[in-house]
Amino acid sequence: MRKVFEWLLNVFLAVIVVCAVFLFVVPHFGWRVDGVFSGSMEPALKVGSVEITKPFDPNDIQAGDIITFRSPGNPELVVTHRVAAVTDHGFITKGDANKDNDELVVPPQNVIGKVVFHVPYVGYVVWALRTPLGFILALVVPAIWLVIMEIMDIRREVAQQPTGSTNLPKQRNHL
């Protein structure tokens, strides 16, 4: 049972580390990491996925590409949808799960990039890491795990030593 627990915790820590790399390193290269929290792109991008968006020249985007863009109606809102058509004015987009195309044409200057990679369910972890509590836990949990593993190793070593013997040098009395 202990081995299973260790294995599961190691997998959990590996996921945390990979998410942290995506979240804190990838943006330094101009790429963007976002969680998918709307079902508009299902089944291509499932709710809870994490998506990696690479900056892309809008001239190289074509119909069928999944792009991340600032909404023409609300520049604070970032949206990821598939390009349904390319026009002289920009991109007509549509969520895969939506019946109709988006109302507004996305101008090229609103395009952040093209989605190049996604991983299902990891978006929940990324979202959690972006909160102060999640960030602290991402540091504290691995640190506690390392301390526990070290304590267990020390206890195992102590238990393997024969009782009554010490590795200390014998002291001589000089009177």
Side-chain angles (χ1 to χ4, degrees), residues 57-67 81-94 101 104-108 111 114:
D57 183 348
N59 295 322
D60 294 333
I61 294 174
Q62 38 192 304
D65 289 342
I66 299 175
I67 62 171
H81 278 173
R82 191 175 303 276
V83 176
V86 179
T87 71
D88 292 338
H89 303 291
F91 305 97
I92 297 173
T93 57
K94 176 183 176 297
N101 291 339
L104 301 173
V105 173
V106 178
V111 174
K114 184 173 163 180

Side-chain angles (χ1 to χ4, degrees), residues 37-165:
F37 298 107
S38 150
S40 69
M41 281 301 294
E42 292 219 5
L45 299 174
K46 297 198 179 307
V47 172
S49 295
V50 65
E51 65 183 31
I52 310 297
T53 301
K54 177 182 178 183
F56 233 79
D57 183 348
N59 295 322
D60 294 333
I61 294 174
Q62 38 192 304
D65 289 342
I66 299 175
I67 62 171
T68 300
F69 57 91
R70 298 200 180 280
S71 171
N74 177 5
E76 297 296 316
L77 179 64
V78 175
V79 179
T80 298
H81 278 173
R82 191 175 303 276
V83 176
V86 179
T87 71
D88 292 338
H89 303 291
F91 305 97
I92 297 173
T93 57
K94 176 183 176 297
D96 288 358
N98 296 344
K99 189 172 88 175
D100 299 317
N101 291 339
D102 297 338
E103 289 183 25
L104 301 173
V105 173
V106 178
Q109 65 268 21
N110 284 34
V111 174
I112 295 170
K114 184 173 163 180
V115 175
V116 293
F117 186 70
H118 72 281
V119 181
Y121 309 114
V122 177
Y124 294 121
V125 178
V126 170
W127 174 80
L129 287 174
R130 285 188 172 167
T131 66
L133 177 61
F135 179 75
I136 290 169
L137 287 176
L139 296 175
V140 171
V141 168
I144 289 173
W145 177 246
L146 290 173
V147 168
I148 290 171
M149 293 305 293
E150 285 302 313
I151 290 170
M152 290 170 59
D153 285 344
I154 290 168
R155 286 181 60 188
R156 203 175 302 124
E157 296 245 349
V158 168
Q160 289 176 352
Q161 288 183 354
T163 56
S165 69

